Amino acid sequence: MRISKSPWLLHYDGSSCNGCDIEVLATTAPRFDIERFGIINTGNPRHADIFLCTGGVNSQNQDVVRQIYDQMPDPKVVLACGICACDGGIFKDCYNILGGTDTVIPVDVYVPGCAVRPEALIDGVVKALKILDEKNEKMKRGEYRSLTSSEYAAKINGDVKEAGDSEGEEKTDA
Amino acid sequence: MTTYSLISVILYLILSPVIACLFSGVDRIVTARMQGRRGPKLLQPFYDIMKLFSKENTSVNEIQKILVMAHCFFAVFSGAIFFAGEDILLVLFALTMAEVFLILAAYSVNAAYSEIGAQRELLQMMAYEPMTLLTAVGFYLSVGSFKVGDIIRSDVPLIVKMPGFFLGFCFILVIKFRKSPFDLATSHHAHQEVIKGLTGDLAGPAYGFSELAELYEEILMLGMAGLFFISSDKISIIWAACAVVILLFCMSLVDNIFPRVKWESLLKSSWIVTLFAGGANLVILSLVR
Ligand code: SF4
């Protein structure tokens, strides 16, 4: 069975203006009914397969983002939703902002938009599901284990991060 | 153990997860339709459980895994005793054991939400245990035996003699099935105030085992509800099946209508129902006997 038949997601609101969060909530509400894809919005990192992050990372929430990510069991994918989560967006130059989600944890799919639209979000989740399946296959063969946040920190501090560096990274242009 | 009971235990072990998953799939679709949505696929609960078992095996500590396995074992075991036609008191005690293991698992992780969930689960047990024990007593007073094998051989369906008990049992069934308004400890929906509470810190296969145990437990509870309708007449099995389906539908309805209550209301309401429905029936039954 493919793991993508039952993806449970976790939404975390970083340093955002809340615009993206409202769109994320709209996506998980009855109008778009994501439960028809088997998706459940779980509030619990230990049960989640998809980490949906909106807003940038700041000096206060960076540990929270790391902890949530590390608590999720493999296989897992991370979606950066909205420009703020992709690279810090409009808040990029603020004194407390470190940047997008990928400054602290590896991101698999970037969903652009300010605010990100539900259609783009669903599109991003569908892309994430493919990656989730690939990771699961690799994990079964014992070839894959995702980086922990501290390993990731060592990696991006060691060598300057290049575009398309993390495995399976994909950009949507929804 | 007769061959007949052996076969029914084997059927129980194999079919329970399948049937309970189907029930839960239908429940999720019905719930979605009540809310004007399409809802997930019928087999969604299967996919969910299979997924949980294919996830990474992480756990906060070693003891947590063992406790969850023990929970699952006792849940399956209590159902096996029931379907073997043995003593219903033994079934209830084994079931309590199973619950206790899950609570210990939640306490073992030393996390805030799990702890609140475990406390609430204890409160839930306080709410439903009196009624389950009273039901067993009711069966004894009606047929003169605690054995499930004898209870199903009564001349009339026991609902005739025990309507009060049945009412009380239906009430606590809502607690047992973790349906709103009584889903305090943990809920099928994640958006509650203590997130997943009791099962919040179980990840991957460990959570899978607790879900599996719940499926077995559900079938056991539905079996107990069916006991009220089964008599020596073979046709009564159909009535029991119909009753179970109606019961499940009513629980979906209740789940969608009522918001979650506070624990005080949970205890008060379940004890009042136990006292007035179960207690009154008990008095009448012992007087008439
Ligand atoms: S991307 Fe735009 S809408 Fe979304 S959080 Fe940032 S500023 Fe707000």
Side-chain angles (χ1 to χ4, degrees), chain B residues 255-266:
Chain B
D255 189 32
N256 275 294
I257 292 174
F258 294 102
R260 183 175 304 121
V261 294
K262 290 186 179 160
W263 67 267
E264 291 96 333
S265 328
L266 164 77

Side-chain angles (χ1 to χ4, degrees), chain A residues 6 35 44 46-47 49 74, chain B residues 37 48 51 55-56 200:
Chain A
S6 156
E35 203 195 358
N44 187 346
R46 294 200 194 281
H47 297 174
D49 308 296
D74 260 333
Chain B
R37 299 186 282 121
D48 290 350
K51 188 232 11 213
K55 295 273 294 187
E56 183 192 13

Side-chain angles (χ1 to χ4, degrees), chain A:
Chain A
M1 189 210 89
R2 279 179 295 125
I3 190 165
S4 59
K5 283 193 168 172
S6 156
W8 294 356
L9 65 84
L10 172 75
H11 168 212
Y12 177 74
D13 167 15
S15 213
S16 78
C17 78
N18 280 152
C20 284
D21 304 299
I22 288 170
E23 298 299 326
V24 170
L25 290 180
T27 316
T28 56
R31 182 175 157 80
F32 290 94
D33 185 26
I34 51 166
E35 203 195 358
R36 67 202 146 110
F37 305 120
I39 299 175
I40 293 180
N41 182 13
T42 163
N44 187 346
R46 294 200 194 281
H47 297 174
D49 308 296
I50 302 177
F51 183 14
L52 224 149
C53 200
T54 54
V57 174
N58 63 31
S59 41
Q60 286 196 344
N61 74 13
Q62 53 172 327
D63 292 332
V64 179
V65 176
R66 283 201 193 97
Q67 188 178 0
I68 292 175
Y69 175 77
D70 286 336
Q71 280 182 341
M72 288 170 62
D74 260 333
K76 56 188 167 190
V77 286
V78 180
L79 247 85
C81 303
I83 284 301
C84 289
C86 290
D87 77 338
I90 195 170
F91 304 113
K92 194 171 184 162
D93 295 329
C94 289
Y95 66 95
N96 59 338
I97 293 285
L98 306 178
T101 313
D102 59 4
T103 47
V104 286
I105 57 170
V107 172
D108 298 283
V109 180
Y110 296 85
V111 188
C114 176
V116 58
R117 296 186 64 81
E119 292 84 351
L121 255 176
I122 293 176
D123 204 29
V125 170
V126 169
K127 290 217 160 133
L129 291 183
K130 263 191 223 126
I131 300 175
L132 195 64
D133 274 336
E134 281 165 20
K135 283 187 178 178
N136 193 35
E137 283 306 312
K138 281 193 202 158
M139 212 180 95
K140 271 190 205 151
R141 296 197 297 265
E143 294 167 2
Y144 177 81
R145 182 184 66 85
S146 61
L147 298 176
T148 63
S149 62
S150 48
E151 285 167 350
Y152 180 71
K155 187 180 162 196
I156 55 171
N157 290 335
D159 47 307
V160 183
K161 191 180 168 287
E162 295 150 25
D165 192 16
S166 84
E167 237 186 290
E169 183 176 296
E170 214 168 321
K171 296 213 182 220
T172 65
D173 34 327

